[in-house]
Amino acid sequence: MTVNEVSRLTGVSVRTLHYYDQIGLLAPSHKTESGYRVYEAEQLERLQQILLFRTLQFSLEEIRELIDSPELDRELALKQQIDLLTMKKQQLERMIEFAQELLQTGGSKMSFEAFDTKQMEQYAEEAKRRWQHTDAYREFERRPQESAGDVQSGLMECFARMGMKRALPVEHPEVQAQVRALQQYITDHFYTCTDEILQSLGEMYTADERFAENIDRAGGTGTAAFTARAIAYYCSHEK
């Protein structure tokens, strides 16, 4: 198929397909002597994966790293995509129901529950994606799964308690005790949280805007950065 034919079939603009080629995300099978891009079944399958991840708001760089990884469990990734799309569907249904109630009441319903996207319920899914090829991930999969809402609520309580100690230096015993409590919570509810894993999580708490926003929401502005610094200190000192 030519780039124009792929565009008509998929709804992806020719300009976008050209851009995907330029950044190495989706190269055509080959080019004709005239320079026209040609796509075959393999490229269309890859485009499907790209579009699914884009629907879930993954960055193009994240998508490229994921689908180019030789270790990616594609069946597992698809199951995770289904889970996340289901969450998105449920949130949209809540929004529709809320809008209908507003229409019926004349806009007098003071509630913001429908706007809660439950981003932190995706925490476990993000952790799976980052650790899916490690012993920690396999341990997580073997464990009996608890209520996602309860687990995430408990995790947010850990960050709330951490936020209450933001005025203290990260090396303060109370702060370090809270880091240990966070590490133990992850071990108890997700997987054995080694110092190495904890340090990587700490880096992720500030590198990923979604984590930072939700952690700050739980513990107050600056909690994510404070937690990351406290974890870094904890992991760099002998216990």
Side-chain angles (χ1 to χ4, degrees):
M1 300 180 70
T2 66
V3 68
N4 286 308
E5 290 171 334
V6 172
S7 178
R8 287 194 295 271
L9 174 67
T10 65
V12 179
S13 70
V14 171
R15 182 177 180 180
T16 296
L17 291 170
H18 285 175
Y19 180 66
Y20 286 174
D21 184 13
Q22 291 171 9
I23 65 174
L25 181 60
L26 179 67
S29 171
H30 61 276
K31 292 183 180 180
T32 67
E33 293 182 358
S34 302
Y36 290 104
R37 294 171 172 84
V38 177
Y39 296 82
E40 298 182 359
E42 181 180 350
Q43 287 74 48
L44 293 178
E45 180 182 353
R46 183 180 175 93
L47 181 57
Q48 285 181 335
Q49 296 177 43
I50 293 169
L51 295 178
L52 272 173
F53 280 117
R54 286 297 284 164
T55 300
L56 298 172
Q57 299 181 332
F58 282 76
S59 70
L60 294 180
E61 181 60 31
E62 288 174 328
I63 295 171
R64 180 168 56 186
E65 291 178 359
L66 275 168
I67 63 181
D68 284 343
S69 171
E71 298 180 337
L72 176 65
D73 186 333
R74 298 190 183 280
E75 181 178 353
L76 177 60
L78 184 57
K79 289 179 180 178
Q80 292 169 356
Q81 288 168 335
I82 292 171
D83 289 341
L84 290 172
L85 287 168
T86 300
M87 292 179 192
K88 190 171 184 178
K89 172 176 175 287
Q90 292 170 345
Q91 197 270 333
L92 287 172
E93 288 174 343
R94 289 195 299 271
M95 289 285 291
I96 293 170
E97 182 179 351
F98 176 75
Q100 290 173 335
E101 290 179 5
L102 282 182
L103 184 63
Q104 295 171 359
T105 61
S108 61
K109 181 179 175 63
M110 289 301 295
S111 171
F112 292 88
E113 182 180 354
F115 298 95
D116 184 356
T117 58
K118 306 292 184 185
Q119 287 184 327
M120 285 313 299
E121 290 185 3
Q122 298 179 15
Y123 181 93
E125 297 300 327
E126 293 282 355
K128 287 181 184 181
R129 183 173 65 85
R130 294 175 186 273
W131 302 104
Q132 61 184 337
H133 306 299
T134 67
D135 292 337
Y137 170 74
R138 287 186 284 273
E139 178 184 353
F140 177 80
E141 285 294 281
R142 288 195 300 269
R143 288 189 177 189
Q145 298 302 301
E146 305 172 66
S147 166
D150 291 343
V151 172
Q152 300 309 321
S153 177
L155 185 63
M156 289 300 99
E157 289 179 10
C158 289
F159 290 124
R161 289 192 291 270
M162 181 68 78
M164 295 173 63
K165 305 185 184 301
R166 300 196 307 281
L168 298 174
V170 295
E171 65 270 19
H172 193 283
E174 291 184 16
V175 177
Q176 291 300 295
Q178 190 55 47
V179 174
R180 284 193 296 274
L182 174 63
Q183 184 179 37
Q184 189 60 52
Y185 188 87
I186 295 171
T187 294
D188 290 343
H189 297 278
F190 294 97
Y191 42 71
T192 301
C193 186
T194 63
D195 284 1
E196 180 182 5
I197 290 176
L198 182 65
Q199 185 169 2
S200 295
L201 288 173
E203 294 170 355
M204 185 169 61
Y205 292 157
T206 54
D208 191 309
E209 292 182 0
R210 287 169 293 180
F211 285 133
E213 289 175 1
N214 284 281
I215 292 171
D216 283 357
R217 188 177 298 122
T221 301
T223 299
F226 178 76
T227 301
R229 294 196 304 273
I231 288 174
Y233 181 89
Y234 177 87
C235 294
S236 64
H237 289 74
E238 293 185 5
K239 312 300 186 293

